[in-house]
Short mmCIF file of all heavy atoms in Angstrom, two decimals:
data_model
loop_
_atom_site.label_atom_id
_atom_site.label_comp_id
_atom_site.label_asym_id
_atom_site.label_seq_id
_atom_site.Cartn_x
_atom_site.Cartn_y
_atom_site.Cartn_z
N GLN A 112 0.83 -1.21 0.00
CA GLN A 112 0.00 0.00 0.00
C GLN A 112 0.86 1.26 0.00
O GLN A 112 0.61 2.18 -0.77
CB GLN A 112 -0.92 0.00 1.21
CG GLN A 112 -1.88 1.17 1.24
CD GLN A 112 -2.84 1.11 2.42
OE1 GLN A 112 -2.84 0.16 3.19
NE2 GLN A 112 -3.66 2.14 2.56
N VAL A 113 1.85 1.30 0.88
CA VAL A 113 2.78 2.42 0.94
C VAL A 113 4.03 2.06 0.15
O VAL A 113 4.52 0.94 0.23
CB VAL A 113 3.15 2.77 2.39
CG1 VAL A 113 4.28 3.80 2.43
CG2 VAL A 113 1.94 3.30 3.13
N GLN A 114 4.53 3.01 -0.61
CA GLN A 114 5.72 2.80 -1.41
C GLN A 114 6.71 3.94 -1.22
O GLN A 114 6.32 5.11 -1.17
CB GLN A 114 5.34 2.68 -2.88
CG GLN A 114 6.50 2.40 -3.81
CD GLN A 114 6.08 2.20 -5.25
OE1 GLN A 114 6.53 1.28 -5.93
NE2 GLN A 114 5.19 3.07 -5.72
N LEU A 115 8.00 3.61 -1.11
CA LEU A 115 9.06 4.59 -1.06
C LEU A 115 9.80 4.58 -2.39
O LEU A 115 10.22 3.52 -2.85
CB LEU A 115 10.05 4.29 0.07
CG LEU A 115 9.51 4.20 1.50
CD1 LEU A 115 10.67 3.96 2.47
CD2 LEU A 115 8.76 5.45 1.88
N VAL A 116 9.95 5.74 -3.00
CA VAL A 116 10.64 5.86 -4.27
C VAL A 116 11.83 6.79 -4.12
O VAL A 116 11.68 7.93 -3.70
CB VAL A 116 9.70 6.37 -5.38
CG1 VAL A 116 10.46 6.53 -6.69
CG2 VAL A 116 8.53 5.42 -5.57
N GLU A 117 13.02 6.29 -4.47
CA GLU A 117 14.25 7.05 -4.35
C GLU A 117 14.75 7.51 -5.71
O GLU A 117 14.48 6.87 -6.73
CB GLU A 117 15.32 6.20 -3.67
CG GLU A 117 14.96 5.76 -2.27
CD GLU A 117 15.56 4.43 -1.89
OE1 GLU A 117 15.33 3.45 -2.62
OE2 GLU A 117 16.27 4.38 -0.87
N SER A 118 15.52 8.58 -5.70
CA SER A 118 16.13 9.08 -6.91
C SER A 118 17.35 9.92 -6.55
O SER A 118 17.54 10.28 -5.39
CB SER A 118 15.14 9.92 -7.73
OG SER A 118 14.74 11.08 -7.01
N GLY A 119 18.17 10.22 -7.54
CA GLY A 119 19.32 11.10 -7.34
C GLY A 119 20.67 10.42 -7.37
O GLY A 119 21.70 11.10 -7.37
N GLY A 120 20.70 9.10 -7.39
CA GLY A 120 21.97 8.40 -7.44
C GLY A 120 22.62 8.54 -8.79
O GLY A 120 22.01 8.99 -9.76
N GLY A 121 23.89 8.16 -8.87
CA GLY A 121 24.61 8.25 -10.12
C GLY A 121 26.10 8.16 -9.93
O GLY A 121 26.59 7.78 -8.86
N LEU A 122 26.83 8.51 -10.98
CA LEU A 122 28.28 8.48 -10.97
C LEU A 122 28.82 9.90 -10.82
O LEU A 122 28.40 10.81 -11.53
CB LEU A 122 28.80 7.87 -12.28
CG LEU A 122 30.30 7.86 -12.52
CD1 LEU A 122 31.00 6.99 -11.48
CD2 LEU A 122 30.60 7.35 -13.93
N VAL A 123 29.74 10.06 -9.87
CA VAL A 123 30.31 11.38 -9.62
C VAL A 123 31.79 11.23 -9.25
O VAL A 123 32.20 10.20 -8.72
CB VAL A 123 29.53 12.10 -8.49
CG1 VAL A 123 29.70 11.35 -7.17
CG2 VAL A 123 29.96 13.54 -8.35
N GLN A 124 32.57 12.25 -9.55
CA GLN A 124 33.99 12.23 -9.20
C GLN A 124 34.20 12.57 -7.73
O GLN A 124 33.38 13.25 -7.11
CB GLN A 124 34.77 13.23 -10.06
CG GLN A 124 34.86 12.86 -11.53
CD GLN A 124 35.72 13.82 -12.32
OE1 GLN A 124 35.78 15.01 -12.03
NE2 GLN A 124 36.39 13.30 -13.33
N ALA A 125 35.29 12.08 -7.16
CA ALA A 125 35.63 12.39 -5.78
C ALA A 125 35.66 13.90 -5.58
O ALA A 125 36.18 14.64 -6.42
CB ALA A 125 36.98 11.78 -5.41
N GLY A 126 35.09 14.35 -4.47
CA GLY A 126 35.01 15.76 -4.17
C GLY A 126 33.72 16.40 -4.67
O GLY A 126 33.42 17.55 -4.31
N GLY A 127 32.96 15.67 -5.45
CA GLY A 127 31.72 16.18 -6.01
C GLY A 127 30.56 16.07 -5.05
O GLY A 127 30.70 15.64 -3.90
N SER A 128 29.37 16.45 -5.54
CA SER A 128 28.16 16.45 -4.73
C SER A 128 27.03 15.71 -5.42
O SER A 128 26.98 15.60 -6.65
CB SER A 128 27.71 17.88 -4.44
OG SER A 128 28.68 18.60 -3.70
N LEU A 129 26.11 15.24 -4.60
CA LEU A 129 24.94 14.53 -5.08
C LEU A 129 23.81 14.76 -4.07
O LEU A 129 24.08 14.87 -2.87
CB LEU A 129 25.25 13.05 -5.22
CG LEU A 129 24.70 12.23 -6.39
CD1 LEU A 129 25.03 12.89 -7.72
CD2 LEU A 129 25.29 10.83 -6.35
N ARG A 130 22.59 14.82 -4.55
CA ARG A 130 21.45 14.97 -3.65
C ARG A 130 20.44 13.85 -3.90
O ARG A 130 19.90 13.73 -5.00
CB ARG A 130 20.76 16.32 -3.86
CG ARG A 130 19.72 16.65 -2.79
CD ARG A 130 18.90 17.87 -3.18
NE ARG A 130 18.08 18.35 -2.08
CZ ARG A 130 16.96 19.05 -2.24
NH1 ARG A 130 16.54 19.36 -3.46
NH2 ARG A 130 16.27 19.46 -1.18
N LEU A 131 20.21 13.04 -2.89
CA LEU A 131 19.26 11.95 -2.98
C LEU A 131 17.91 12.39 -2.42
O LEU A 131 17.83 13.20 -1.52
CB LEU A 131 19.74 10.73 -2.19
CG LEU A 131 21.15 10.21 -2.48
CD1 LEU A 131 21.42 8.96 -1.64
CD2 LEU A 131 21.32 9.91 -3.96
N SER A 132 16.84 11.82 -2.97
CA SER A 132 15.52 12.10 -2.45
C SER A 132 14.75 10.80 -2.28
O SER A 132 15.00 9.82 -2.98
CB SER A 132 14.75 13.05 -3.37
OG SER A 132 14.51 12.46 -4.64
N CYS A 133 13.82 10.80 -1.34
CA CYS A 133 12.98 9.64 -1.07
C CYS A 133 11.57 10.14 -0.77
O CYS A 133 11.38 10.90 0.19
CB CYS A 133 13.52 8.85 0.12
SG CYS A 133 12.43 7.54 0.72
N THR A 134 10.62 9.71 -1.56
CA THR A 134 9.24 10.14 -1.38
C THR A 134 8.33 8.95 -1.10
O THR A 134 8.36 7.97 -1.85
CB THR A 134 8.72 10.89 -2.61
OG1 THR A 134 9.51 12.07 -2.83
CG2 THR A 134 7.28 11.31 -2.43
N ALA A 135 7.55 9.04 -0.03
CA ALA A 135 6.59 8.00 0.31
C ALA A 135 5.23 8.35 -0.27
O ALA A 135 4.80 9.51 -0.22
CB ALA A 135 6.48 7.85 1.82
N SER A 136 4.56 7.36 -0.82
CA SER A 136 3.23 7.58 -1.38
C SER A 136 2.27 6.50 -0.88
O SER A 136 2.70 5.42 -0.46
CB SER A 136 3.28 7.57 -2.90
OG SER A 136 3.73 6.33 -3.40
N GLY A 137 0.98 6.79 -0.94
CA GLY A 137 -0.03 5.87 -0.47
C GLY A 137 -0.97 6.58 0.49
O GLY A 137 -0.99 7.80 0.58
N SER A 138 -1.78 5.80 1.20
CA SER A 138 -2.75 6.37 2.15
C SER A 138 -2.06 6.67 3.48
O SER A 138 -2.35 6.06 4.50
CB SER A 138 -3.91 5.41 2.34
OG SER A 138 -4.58 5.15 1.11
N ILE A 139 -1.16 7.64 3.45
CA ILE A 139 -0.33 7.96 4.61
C ILE A 139 -1.02 8.92 5.57
O ILE A 139 -1.54 9.95 5.17
CB ILE A 139 1.01 8.56 4.15
CG1 ILE A 139 1.78 7.53 3.32
CG2 ILE A 139 1.84 9.02 5.35
CD1 ILE A 139 2.98 8.10 2.62
N LEU A 140 -0.99 8.55 6.85
CA LEU A 140 -1.52 9.42 7.89
C LEU A 140 -0.41 10.26 8.51
O LEU A 140 -0.60 11.44 8.78
CB LEU A 140 -2.22 8.59 8.98
CG LEU A 140 -3.46 7.81 8.52
CD1 LEU A 140 -3.99 6.96 9.68
CD2 LEU A 140 -4.53 8.76 8.02
N SER A 141 0.76 9.64 8.73
CA SER A 141 1.90 10.36 9.26
C SER A 141 3.18 9.56 9.03
O SER A 141 3.16 8.34 8.97
CB SER A 141 1.73 10.66 10.75
OG SER A 141 1.78 9.47 11.52
N THR A 142 4.29 10.29 8.92
CA THR A 142 5.61 9.69 8.81
C THR A 142 6.38 10.07 10.07
O THR A 142 6.66 11.24 10.29
CB THR A 142 6.34 10.18 7.56
OG1 THR A 142 5.59 9.82 6.40
CG2 THR A 142 7.73 9.56 7.48
N GLN A 143 6.68 9.07 10.89
CA GLN A 143 7.28 9.34 12.19
C GLN A 143 8.80 9.44 12.16
O GLN A 143 9.40 10.13 12.98
CB GLN A 143 6.88 8.24 13.18
CG GLN A 143 5.38 8.10 13.40
CD GLN A 143 4.78 9.32 14.06
OE1 GLN A 143 5.38 9.93 14.95
NE2 GLN A 143 3.58 9.70 13.63
N PHE A 144 9.42 8.75 11.23
CA PHE A 144 10.88 8.61 11.21
C PHE A 144 11.32 8.25 9.80
O PHE A 144 10.70 7.42 9.15
CB PHE A 144 11.27 7.50 12.20
CG PHE A 144 12.72 7.12 12.22
CD1 PHE A 144 13.60 7.76 13.07
CD2 PHE A 144 13.20 6.09 11.43
CE1 PHE A 144 14.94 7.39 13.13
CE2 PHE A 144 14.52 5.71 11.47
CZ PHE A 144 15.40 6.37 12.33
N MET A 145 12.38 8.89 9.34
CA MET A 145 12.95 8.55 8.05
C MET A 145 14.47 8.48 8.18
O MET A 145 15.05 9.21 8.98
CB MET A 145 12.56 9.55 6.96
CG MET A 145 11.06 9.62 6.72
SD MET A 145 10.60 10.61 5.25
CE MET A 145 10.87 9.40 3.95
N ALA A 146 15.07 7.60 7.40
CA ALA A 146 16.51 7.41 7.50
C ALA A 146 17.09 6.97 6.16
O ALA A 146 16.38 6.48 5.29
CB ALA A 146 16.84 6.38 8.58
N TRP A 147 18.39 7.17 6.04
CA TRP A 147 19.15 6.67 4.90
C TRP A 147 20.16 5.65 5.39
O TRP A 147 20.89 5.91 6.35
CB TRP A 147 19.89 7.80 4.18
CG TRP A 147 18.99 8.71 3.39
CD1 TRP A 147 18.48 9.90 3.78
CD2 TRP A 147 18.52 8.48 2.06
NE1 TRP A 147 17.71 10.44 2.78
CE2 TRP A 147 17.72 9.59 1.71
CE3 TRP A 147 18.70 7.45 1.12
CZ2 TRP A 147 17.09 9.70 0.47
CZ3 TRP A 147 18.07 7.57 -0.11
CH2 TRP A 147 17.28 8.68 -0.42
N TYR A 148 20.19 4.50 4.75
CA TYR A 148 21.17 3.47 5.00
C TYR A 148 21.98 3.27 3.73
O TYR A 148 21.56 3.67 2.64
CB TYR A 148 20.50 2.14 5.36
CG TYR A 148 19.91 2.09 6.76
CD1 TYR A 148 18.68 2.67 7.05
CD2 TYR A 148 20.59 1.43 7.79
CE1 TYR A 148 18.14 2.60 8.32
CE2 TYR A 148 20.05 1.35 9.06
CZ TYR A 148 18.83 1.94 9.32
OH TYR A 148 18.30 1.87 10.59
N ARG A 149 23.14 2.63 3.86
CA ARG A 149 23.91 2.29 2.68
C ARG A 149 24.58 0.94 2.87
O ARG A 149 24.83 0.50 3.99
CB ARG A 149 24.96 3.36 2.35
CG ARG A 149 26.16 3.40 3.29
CD ARG A 149 27.08 4.55 2.91
NE ARG A 149 28.32 4.53 3.66
CZ ARG A 149 29.24 5.48 3.62
NH1 ARG A 149 29.06 6.55 2.82
NH2 ARG A 149 30.35 5.38 4.34
N GLN A 150 24.85 0.28 1.75
CA GLN A 150 25.53 -1.00 1.78
C GLN A 150 26.45 -1.12 0.58
O GLN A 150 26.00 -1.04 -0.56
CB GLN A 150 24.52 -2.16 1.80
CG GLN A 150 25.17 -3.52 1.96
CD GLN A 150 24.16 -4.62 2.27
OE1 GLN A 150 22.99 -4.52 1.92
NE2 GLN A 150 24.61 -5.67 2.93
N ALA A 151 27.73 -1.30 0.86
CA ALA A 151 28.72 -1.50 -0.18
C ALA A 151 28.98 -3.00 -0.33
O ALA A 151 28.76 -3.76 0.61
CB ALA A 151 30.02 -0.78 0.17
N PRO A 152 29.44 -3.44 -1.50
CA PRO A 152 29.72 -4.86 -1.71
C PRO A 152 30.66 -5.41 -0.64
O PRO A 152 31.69 -4.82 -0.35
CB PRO A 152 30.38 -4.88 -3.09
CG PRO A 152 29.79 -3.70 -3.79
CD PRO A 152 29.69 -2.65 -2.72
N GLY A 153 30.27 -6.53 -0.03
CA GLY A 153 31.09 -7.16 0.99
C GLY A 153 30.92 -6.58 2.39
O GLY A 153 31.49 -7.10 3.34
#
């Protein structure tokens, strides 16, 4: 019912910048907490 959609990733050179976004959609009453996690290979 609820879906999170992310965008903004890509390839960038060291020292550069990037802005990620995450939007929740569905019959939402409230969003209590949001977070970003990451996982690299291994």
Side-chain angles (χ1 to χ4, degrees):
Q112 184 177 355
V113 172
Q114 182 177 225
L115 302 183
V116 178
E117 299 150 304
S118 63
L122 175 64
V123 66
Q124 292 184 327
S128 297
L129 219 52
R130 191 190 190 205
L131 307 183
S132 64
C133 171
T134 299
S136 62
S138 301
I139 298 170
L140 297 176
S141 68
T142 299
Q143 300 295 321
F144 174 90
M145 298 190 81
W147 288 97
Y148 286 80
R149 73 183 187 187
Q150 185 168 26

